[in-house]
Amino acid sequence: MANKAVMYMGPGKVEVADLDYPGLELKEGPGVNPANVGRKTPHGVILRTVATNICGSDQHMVRGRTTAPERLVLGHEITGEIVEKGPDVEFLEVGDIVSVPFNIACGRCRNCKEGKTGICLNVNPDRPGSAYGYVDMGGWTGGQAEYVMVPYADWNCLKFPDRDQALAKIRDLTMLSDIFPTGYHGCVTAGVGTGSTVYIAGAGPVGLAAAASAQLLGAAVVIVGDLNADRLAQARSFGCETVDVSQGDPKDQIDQILGTPEVDCGVDAVGFEARGHGSDASREAPATVLNSLMDITRAGGALGIPGLYVTGDPGAVDDAAKEGSLSIRLGLGWAKSHAFTTGQCPVMRYHRQLMMAILHDRVQIAKAVNATVIPLEEAPRGYQEFDQGAAKKYVLDPNGLIPAA
């Protein structure tokens, strides 16, 4: 059976190319860990992809800021219809529509049993944690394709209760695979609750998802900071206050909004490609956001850090940053008794609850992130526009299954 997929073809280049139809076994391919080749997955399912999204994490690879190999199949945000299931799958059926967490987890190891599904011990031979279509994550084929295999399906897949309802709300439900739980995790770990004041660094899709999450959690004021005017306008469209960090230190603008230069909770939705503030906004300064958040988060507060930081960045501004070493003012964070939470979001900790919030109209996450549906063939355009700062979350429709808006 034919299968087309979005592939990374070198810095700045993606193409839609032919790919083998997936089977229930890992085969050799770009980025596949040799120790995973031949691994059988009778516990897996084959999905016909309903929706798969372009993520800022994908964009890091496409910019050439990781060690991703050419022809790596991209995509870790997957929602699909089961068309085939392995003999060990008990609780899912052909025809079910499911959301797939971006982190691959076995459900059997110590970390999975403790709910730490972002750092499963059994799916990546190199280190804890894995994801579809991502560099150094074990080599599981990405989901920006017409068909994709999902292992440990009974554990990993979140089944939607009603097919028609799922398709009607697919623009929202597709965000459950990554950015909605990731933004929510950033807020939960930052301590957002009723009446909180929150500063979110970054108005990309994860930052906007975090802002919507903060509202869902009962924040009194949600402030979003960025350099991009269109993205800041998108944040204001659903009730956020905004800070243009190109105008200087966010502290002064926060003071104007709140009457105090500090917030209760800080969220880093930018990551390792951060830029400076004010006159330094044109240059990359990877520690800027973390240091700024420590400065503007009150003593005793917390920082949620869903923004991506990597151990290998060939395009970094200095040798230290190339291996993920940043000049962070840890002494400031220590002096203010800050708590820090980093790493992949354990999607399964949140996705069922967030699904219920979507299905019962408690949140409109697609509207918050400006979900924009395009065909799989237009993925290269989506990547290009997203890289240029479009205030959109691009949703790919590989099989023409997403209903018209």
Side-chain angles (χ1 to χ4, degrees):
M1 189 179 296
N3 189 21
K4 291 189 179 298
V6 181
M7 297 181 186
Y8 168 67
M9 304 300 283
K13 293 188 290 185
V14 296
E15 291 182 9
V16 178
D18 291 327
L19 179 70
D20 288 342
Y21 183 81
L24 297 175
E25 179 180 328
L26 266 67
K27 298 179 180 178
E28 282 189 283
V32 179
N33 191 300
N36 261 349
V37 174
R39 184 170 180 163
K40 292 180 169 48
T41 57
H43 41 68
V45 294
I46 309 299
L47 298 184
R48 179 168 63 155
T49 306
V50 175
T52 177
N53 316 324
I54 296 175
C55 181
S57 299
D58 299 320
Q59 201 73 61
H60 292 308
M61 289 188 291
V62 172
R63 290 188 189 119
R65 296 299 295 268
T66 70
T67 55
E70 291 185 13
R71 299 193 69 81
L72 181 77
V73 178
L74 298 167
H76 54 269
E77 301 189 12
I78 306 165
T79 306
E81 177 188 16
I82 297 174
V83 293
E84 182 181 337
K85 68 177 198 171
D88 291 352
V89 178
E90 291 188 76
F91 306 114
L92 297 167
E93 301 298 337
V94 171
D96 288 346
I97 297 182
V98 299
S99 177
V100 181
F102 76 89
N103 14 56
I104 303 167
C106 72
R108 296 151 165 81
C109 71
R110 173 183 175 176
N111 283 350
C112 283
K113 289 178 179 179
E114 292 177 358
K116 301 170 183 173
T117 54
I119 42 174
C120 173
L121 300 173
N122 287 332
V123 286
N124 183 355
D126 281 342
R127 58 182 172 183
S130 189
Y132 303 88
Y134 212 83
V135 59
D136 296 332
M137 288 290 190
W140 301 83
T141 302
Q144 288 175 15
E146 293 173 316
Y147 296 90
V148 63
M149 189 274 288
V150 173
Y152 305 104
D154 281 325
W155 170 251
N156 282 308
C157 293
L158 173 66
K159 177 184 171 181
F160 298 141
D162 181 86
R163 179 187 179 88
D164 291 341
Q165 183 188 36
L167 288 173
K169 290 184 174 287
I170 196 65
R171 288 167 174 77
D172 295 283
L173 294 171
T174 188
M175 305 306 165
L176 292 173
S177 57
D178 182 355
I179 67 163
F180 193 11
T182 293
Y184 191 85
H185 178 63
C187 290
V188 168
T189 54
V192 178
T194 302
S196 297
T197 57
V198 186
Y199 178 72
I200 297 165
V206 170
L208 295 171
S213 298
Q215 293 175 340
L216 189 62
L217 286 162
V221 184
V222 181
I223 306 170
V224 181
D226 204 293
L227 301 159
N228 183 312
D230 290 340
R231 290 181 171 182
L232 290 174
Q234 182 62 27
R236 288 192 295 274
S237 75
F238 59 100
C240 300
E241 301 284 349
T242 57
V243 162
D244 182 350
V245 298
S246 71
Q247 301 303 307
D249 192 328
K251 201 169 188 174
D252 300 328
Q253 296 175 67
I254 290 170
D255 193 11
Q256 292 174 13
I257 294 167
L258 296 177
T260 175
E262 290 189 323
V263 293
D264 298 324
C265 315
V267 178
D268 175 2
V270 178
F272 73 104
E273 288 192 69
R275 295 189 175 275
H277 294 159
S279 60
D280 292 331
S282 62
R283 68 179 184 87
E284 199 165 296
T288 298
V289 168
L290 291 171
N291 287 331
S292 173
L293 284 173
M294 284 186 276
D295 190 35
I296 63 182
T297 301
R298 69 176 181 86
L303 274 61
I305 310 173
L308 176 68
Y309 289 87
V310 295
T311 55
D313 175 11
V317 292
D318 55 48
D319 288 341
K322 286 180 180 178
E323 59 179 21
S325 296
L326 309 180
S327 298
I328 296 171
R329 294 184 64 194
L330 188 59
L332 175 61
W334 190 93
K336 295 178 80 171
S337 294
H338 284 157
F340 300 76
T341 302
T342 66
Q344 285 188 35
C345 164
V347 170
M348 271 191 262
R349 191 176 297 173
Y350 310 108
H351 67 171
R352 182 174 296 278
Q353 302 96 302
L354 295 177
M355 174 188 74
M356 294 300 288
I358 289 169
L359 294 180
H360 293 279
D361 298 318
R362 301 301 297 169
V363 64
Q364 293 183 306
I365 189 65
K367 184 177 179 181
V369 301
N370 195 15
T372 303
V373 178
I374 59 175
L376 188 74
E377 294 74 21
E378 293 185 25
R381 172 178 70 85
Y383 270 96
Q384 183 180 34
E385 292 178 1
F386 187 43
D387 190 48
Q388 292 169 348
K392 297 177 180 180
K393 174 67 173 178
Y394 284 100
V395 177
L396 303 179
D397 182 8
N399 289 292
L401 296 174
I402 298 178

